[in-house]
Each structure stands twice: as C-alpha cells, then as structure tokens.
Amino acid sequence: MTPVEPGEFEALLGGPGRELLDELHRDGYDGSAALALATKLRARYPAPLVSAALTQARLRARAAAKFGAEAESLYFTPAGLEQSTRRSVAELRARRYAAAGAHRVADLCCGIGGDALAFARAGIGVLAVDRDPLTCAVARANARVTGLAELIEVRCADVTELFPEDEDCDAVFLDPARRTDLGRVFNPAAYSPPWEFALSLARRVAAAGFKVAPGLPHELIPAGAEAEWVSDHGEVKEAGIYFGPLASASRRATLLPGPHVLEARGLPDPEPTPVRRYLYEPDGAVIRAHLLGELAAELGAATIDPTIAYLTSDHLAETPYATAYEITDILPFSVKRLRVFIAQHRIGRLTVKKRGADIDPAVLYKQLRPAGPESAVLFVTRVLGAHTALVARSAR
C-alpha cells in the first residue's frame, strides 16, 4: 500500500480532497478495479491527490471491522490502522476511566486517535500525544470530523519527555508500540517506550493504565495492579494493566459484546477427570487471565487434563465464557481409526480443533477425507495424559 506523505494527507482535507473522497464513498471503492479508477480520476484531479485518496479508501474499507460505519468518515495511516484499538474495546476502557472520575487523560502514543475519540465521547478531556507528525495530523482530522476537537488536544512530542501531571492531567493511558519492521515484539522491555517507562508513569500518576500484549507473563503484573484481558466476538484483542482508582480486581476477563466480566477469586483449577457428557471450550480471555478455576466453579465442571484448558461436566450450563459441545464419541488418537470412523458416520462437514496435540488441523482434515451429509467437531487433545480424539456436536 502506497504510504501517504504529510503534505499529501493535508491535501485530502481541502475542498478537492474532500470532494474526491466523497465521490469514492458514493460510487463505492472496488479494489480490483483500482488501476482503472486511478486512471479515470487523474483526468480530473492531481495524481498525488488521487493516490492519497485511493489509499484512504482502501484503509477505510479495512477499518470497518474495527470502527464500523464510522470508518467511512475517519482518516487512517496503514500502521495507524493496524495498531489502533477497535471502537468497542476503546469505549470499554473509556467507561473505566469515566467511572474512576478522570477529567483529563494523557493518551500517550495516541496513534490515529481511536482511544482519544472514545475518551472524549465519555466526556473526558484528552491530551493526545504522538511523535510522528503525520499520525498527529490524522488524529487531529479525526477529532474534527467526529465533532470532538474541543475535547481533544493533539500534540506532536516524545512521550518520554512529557510529564502528564504537569499538563493538568489526572489520568494517563499509554499504548506503546509492540511492532518493529521485523514483526511483533513480545518482550515488554522491547516495547517503545519500554516497560520500565510504563511502570514509571504508574508511580507518578495514580490513575494510570497501559496496553500490553495478551501474552504478557503473569509474573510481570505489578503488585496491586489489575490485569484485564478483553475479547470481542470470541477473539482476544488486547490486555491492559490498570492502577489506583482504575483497578477494582487483580485479574479479569471481559467479553464483548456485553460486557461479560469474570473476575479472579483465587480459585485453583479443579482436579482433572475423564471426559463427561459436555465439553466446554473457554473463551481465550478466560484462559489468558488464568480464570479456569473460576469458570469451572461457575459451571460445576472439571478439567480433562492438568495441562489442558478444556472443561467437562455431566450437565449443560449456560455461560457467555465458553462454548459448549456435546460429546458423542471418545477414541484413542489414530489417523487410521479416525478416517474409518469419519467414513462410517458419513461426516462431510468437519471442524478440527486441537489443544496439547502436535498436529496441524488442516493437514489432519485432508488425511481424514471427510465426505457425506453429516457434521461434527473433532477435538484432538490430551485426556488424563493420553492423546485422545473427542467427536462432538454443538450443545446449543
């Protein structure tokens, strides 16, 4: 995707740029016909403006998954969209800050302004800071098009040199960069700014929070802080660490839409048992938050193996925190035996899942050669230490 230069982006905000973007929105953007469309548009608009507008059209189409219909009017950069917080998650966080009484929050490493917009919608003033001039220009534009510019001040600066408590901010949120040109960064010490800077913010501003990768080791969670893992429609989106008035639990899993919140109560994982009639596949946020014991207590369930995050029970219980399946068959894991089983039961629609098994679900699917009118879900996992195949159907 062609990068946008600051001057090219500013041109999009003028009359011809807005006219061109409105035309692309009205006529509908078709990526497969982008070359022909660019040629057509260059007959009426400068080539750099057409290139910048087409880039925005592509980004807006992709952004709909995060921002819904609002994406049609927002502005993006490729990196800014990739790293931005989806609207549902940003609004969840903004409600946390509003409930804690925040009046003005320093949104550090604000990117294209997804979190800043959510804070402002919650009635909180925002000092949005980023060191990239183009990113700041995009954040300002987004504040204007959403009618929130009076609540959002965008400043281009190095966040490590900013002291939010000196800026009339009573709260701070930091979203450090967790990607480099080489890919994702998993070591918090390699975040930009690094982990130690985030911890220093929490020592200086009581109401502090920052975003972290969902795979953050639990031993790095500071004492007295709350760690929250958030999933949206079953997919884990982020984790956050919160301090002071922003914290109300030690760990929690929050599922969207809802929200549905499961908080830590210090319960251990239950003792494993053989597989019973129902198998529960916990939401990823519950697993990441190490809340299997809390969910098991809620369901009256047990684990199937000390190392496996599946739960099992004789009784079906309604829960937003896990997907339930009814077990129809239990087999020792063997590709040959499974292929015979699949053929005998005429299973053609097969979903393969694995946990704790050294298999590739896509490869196994091809090996099993499913064909027929019936459907099933196949779990390849460990049960009390033994590699096992569980055949199931949805319990809903």
Side-chain angles (χ1 to χ4, degrees):
M1 182 174 294
T2 304
V4 178
E5 296 298 325
E8 294 172 351
F9 174 73
E10 293 293 343
L12 283 176
L13 306 180
R18 293 197 304 271
E19 177 185 289
L20 177 51
L21 287 173
D22 288 344
E23 180 177 338
L24 289 171
H25 172 61
R26 183 180 63 251
D27 296 342
Y29 172 74
D30 181 359
S32 63
L35 183 58
L37 179 59
T39 301
K40 175 183 174 183
L41 292 173
R42 283 169 184 157
R44 294 185 286 122
Y45 296 98
L49 185 63
V50 171
S51 176
L54 289 175
T55 294
Q56 282 302 312
R58 286 192 291 268
L59 291 171
R60 286 175 169 181
R62 286 172 46 197
K66 282 188 173 184
F67 293 90
E70 187 181 46
E72 297 172 356
S73 61
L74 294 177
Y75 296 92
F76 302 96
T77 65
L81 173 58
E82 181 72 22
Q83 298 169 20
S84 63
T85 305
R86 67 176 47 218
R87 179 168 176 166
S88 59
V89 178
E91 290 178 342
L92 175 73
R93 179 170 19 256
R95 291 195 294 271
R96 178 191 288 267
Y97 275 73
H103 297 290
R104 180 171 161 87
V105 59
D107 180 7
L108 306 183
C109 304
C110 67
I112 56 95
D115 281 289
L117 296 178
F119 286 132
R121 288 193 189 96
I124 303 171
V126 185
L127 171 62
V129 184
D130 201 283
R131 66 182 178 184
D132 179 63
L134 174 59
T135 300
C136 289
V138 173
R140 289 190 190 97
N142 286 335
R144 288 195 297 269
V145 298
T146 54
L148 297 168
E150 289 187 2
L151 283 171
I152 301 174
E153 175 194 349
V154 179
R155 187 180 303 177
C156 192
D158 183 341
V159 301
T160 63
E161 298 176 0
L162 184 76
F163 294 88
E165 64 270 34
D166 295 336
E167 301 291 341
D168 194 28
C169 293
D170 56 359
V172 63
F173 172 66
L174 171 69
D175 183 3
R178 295 173 300 282
R179 297 173 189 268
T180 67
D181 293 340
L182 300 178
R184 292 180 183 270
V185 172
F186 297 99
N187 180 4
Y191 289 176
S192 180
W195 182 251
E196 183 51 46
F197 173 75
L199 295 179
S200 74
L201 286 176
R203 291 191 290 267
R204 289 153 40 200
V205 183
F210 41 92
K211 189 190 296 188
V212 296
L216 178 78
H218 278 230
E219 57 268 24
L220 291 183
I221 300 172
E226 176 187 322
E228 178 186 41
W229 284 260
V230 181
S231 71
D232 192 339
H233 291 88
E235 185 178 349
V236 179
K237 293 302 178 183
E238 69 166 60
I241 306 294
Y242 300 98
F243 297 81
L246 298 173
S248 60
S250 59
R251 285 172 288 116
R252 72 168 67 186
T254 301
L255 281 54
L256 300 172
H260 303 282
V261 179
L262 186 65
E263 294 186 350
R265 291 185 285 146
L267 300 181
D269 292 351
E271 292 296 318
T273 69
V275 176
R276 299 171 183 171
R277 180 176 178 181
Y278 296 101
L279 186 78
Y280 293 92
E281 182 180 25
D283 185 275
V286 173
I287 296 172
R288 294 280 195 176
H290 294 183
L291 297 177
L292 209 59
E294 283 76 3
L295 179 56
E298 185 173 294
L299 299 175
T303 56
I304 63 172
D305 187 276
T307 64
I308 301 298
Y310 287 135
L311 297 174
T312 189
S313 173
D314 288 321
H315 306 286
L316 180 62
E318 291 287 337
T319 178
Y321 304 113
T323 303
Y325 298 88
E326 185 175 11
I327 300 298
T328 59
D329 296 273
I330 302 174
L331 307 167
F333 177 68
S334 161
V335 174
K336 182 176 180 180
R337 289 184 63 175
L338 279 173
R339 187 184 299 128
V340 172
F341 179 92
I342 295 296
Q344 288 177 340
H345 289 78
R346 304 175 66 205
I347 297 172
R349 297 185 301 276
L350 180 67
T351 300
V352 180
K353 295 174 174 282
K354 71 144 186 179
R355 186 161 290 164
D358 188 19
I359 64 141
D360 183 327
V363 172
L364 179 59
Y365 179 91
K366 292 180 180 179
Q367 292 173 327
L368 298 180
R369 304 174 208 155
E374 303 302 323
S375 61
V377 180
L378 174 65
F379 294 88
V380 181
T381 186
R382 286 197 302 273
V383 177
L384 300 177
H387 283 87
T388 305
L390 307 175
V391 184
R393 58 190 173 210
S394 174
R396 299 289 184 259

